[in-house]
Tab-separated table of all heavy atoms in Angstrom:
chain	number	residue	atom	x	y	z
A	265	ILE	N	123.814	123.670	-8.639
A	265	ILE	CA	122.719	124.664	-8.921
A	265	ILE	C	122.350	125.332	-7.632
A	265	ILE	O	122.231	126.600	-7.585
A	265	ILE	CB	121.510	123.912	-9.525
A	265	ILE	CG1	121.836	123.214	-10.860
A	265	ILE	CG2	120.321	124.894	-9.679
A	265	ILE	CD1	122.014	124.116	-12.025
A	285	GLY	N	110.110	118.249	-19.962
A	285	GLY	CA	109.306	117.949	-18.814
A	285	GLY	C	108.092	118.836	-18.780
A	285	GLY	O	107.681	119.391	-19.829
A	287	LYS	N	105.557	121.944	-17.062
A	287	LYS	CA	105.580	123.179	-16.292
A	287	LYS	C	104.969	123.048	-14.903
A	287	LYS	O	105.334	123.717	-13.980
A	287	LYS	CB	104.794	124.300	-17.035
A	287	LYS	CG	105.592	124.941	-18.188
A	287	LYS	CD	104.834	126.120	-18.728
A	287	LYS	CE	105.618	126.851	-19.804
A	287	LYS	NZ	104.917	128.040	-20.301
A	290	ILE	N	107.865	121.924	-12.936
A	290	ILE	CA	109.091	122.701	-13.146
A	290	ILE	C	109.031	124.088	-12.588
A	290	ILE	O	109.953	124.566	-11.886
A	290	ILE	CB	109.465	122.729	-14.664
A	290	ILE	CG1	109.842	121.296	-15.145
A	290	ILE	CG2	110.618	123.697	-14.926
A	290	ILE	CD1	110.097	121.247	-16.642
A	397	LYS	N	133.493	132.944	-17.268
A	397	LYS	CA	133.867	134.045	-16.390
A	397	LYS	C	132.667	134.669	-15.727
A	397	LYS	O	132.575	135.924	-15.594
A	397	LYS	CB	134.664	135.090	-17.155
A	397	LYS	CG	135.991	134.521	-17.729
A	397	LYS	CD	136.799	135.599	-18.446
A	397	LYS	CE	138.193	135.125	-18.790
A	397	LYS	NZ	138.217	133.926	-19.620
A	543	SER	N	145.076	74.867	27.739
A	543	SER	CA	143.910	75.679	27.382
A	543	SER	C	143.264	76.298	28.627
A	543	SER	O	142.987	75.595	29.569
A	543	SER	CB	142.900	74.807	26.665
A	543	SER	OG	143.388	74.371	25.392
A	583	LEU	N	142.483	109.139	31.343
A	583	LEU	CA	141.348	108.816	32.210
A	583	LEU	C	140.975	107.400	32.006
A	583	LEU	O	140.535	107.036	30.918
A	583	LEU	CB	140.169	109.727	31.945
A	583	LEU	CG	138.916	109.446	32.769
A	583	LEU	CD1	139.137	109.679	34.249
A	583	LEU	CD2	137.749	110.297	32.243
A	634	ASN	N	150.649	92.142	19.269
A	634	ASN	CA	151.021	93.436	18.690
A	634	ASN	C	150.152	93.770	17.494
A	634	ASN	O	150.327	93.175	16.399
A	634	ASN	CB	152.468	93.435	18.261
A	634	ASN	CG	152.904	94.806	17.687
A	634	ASN	OD1	152.213	95.795	17.920
A	634	ASN	ND2	153.976	94.836	16.956
A	708	ARG	N	136.589	115.373	6.093
A	708	ARG	CA	137.506	116.359	6.647
A	708	ARG	C	138.251	117.098	5.531
A	708	ARG	O	138.457	118.350	5.626
A	708	ARG	CB	138.508	115.655	7.558
A	708	ARG	CG	137.977	114.916	8.758
A	708	ARG	CD	136.979	115.725	9.572
A	708	ARG	NE	137.379	117.109	9.784
A	708	ARG	CZ	136.577	118.163	9.740
A	708	ARG	NH1	135.289	117.978	9.463
A	708	ARG	NH2	136.998	119.353	9.916
Side-chain angles (χ1 to χ4, degrees):
I265 299 287
K287 282 189 176 182
I290 293 176
K397 296 182 171 57
S543 294
L583 176 65
N634 181 19
R708 298 310 318 138

